[in-house]
Amino acid sequence: MYTIDNKEYPCCTSVTMKFIGGKWKAVILHHLLGGAQRYNELRKAIPTITERTLSLQLKQLEEDHIINRKVYTKKPPLMVEYTLTDFGKTLLPVLEAITNWGIAAPDLSVKKIIRN
């Protein structure tokens, strides 16, 4: 049993999924693997995510110390940049495995997955 913020998780897999689970977190993290991204860059890279969802997911990832949010305010316009934290970088092997499985899945599946 694991406890995070007074919430119990039954196994190590559920702990991992607490941090990267859901439809969008792993996708966002995948786009941050190459380095810092601004909010609008992430928005363009993930066109099917709504602005509200992207904002909420980024906030959760920041609260979980997976990503850093850096605000540049020296001169307008305001610029916000997101990067992986050192803790977030420990997820690299997991994210790479998810990415590689997704790349191979269309060739391995029984015609359920179509690569466009």
Side-chain angles (χ1 to χ4, degrees), residues 16-108:
T16 304
M17 296 311 292
K18 181 258 190 268
F19 290 103
I20 65 167
K23 184 174 179 179
W24 297 110
K25 285 182 182 177
V27 176
I28 293 166
L29 294 173
H30 170 77
H31 288 286
L32 292 174
L33 290 177
Q37 293 276 311
R38 295 190 343 231
Y39 177 88
N40 284 334
E41 292 173 323
L42 288 168
R43 183 76 177 92
K44 288 177 185 172
I46 313 168
T48 54
I49 193 171
T50 65
E51 288 187 30
R52 182 176 189 280
T53 300
L54 178 58
S55 294
L56 289 172
Q57 295 294 288
L58 288 168
K59 192 173 288 189
Q60 284 180 354
L61 289 165
E62 183 182 9
E63 288 171 0
D64 289 338
H65 305 286
I66 302 294
I67 63 171
N68 279 322
R69 178 181 188 263
K70 186 170 182 179
V71 180
Y72 297 93
T73 58
K74 295 198 183 219
K75 60 180 183 173
L78 178 74
M79 187 174 89
V80 178
E81 192 174 75
Y82 297 93
T83 56
L84 291 173
T85 63
D86 288 339
F87 179 55
K89 288 177 184 174
T90 64
L91 288 166
L92 289 175
V94 176
L95 295 169
E96 288 173 357
I98 291 169
T99 299
N100 291 336
W101 187 90
I103 291 168
D107 298 330
L108 303 173

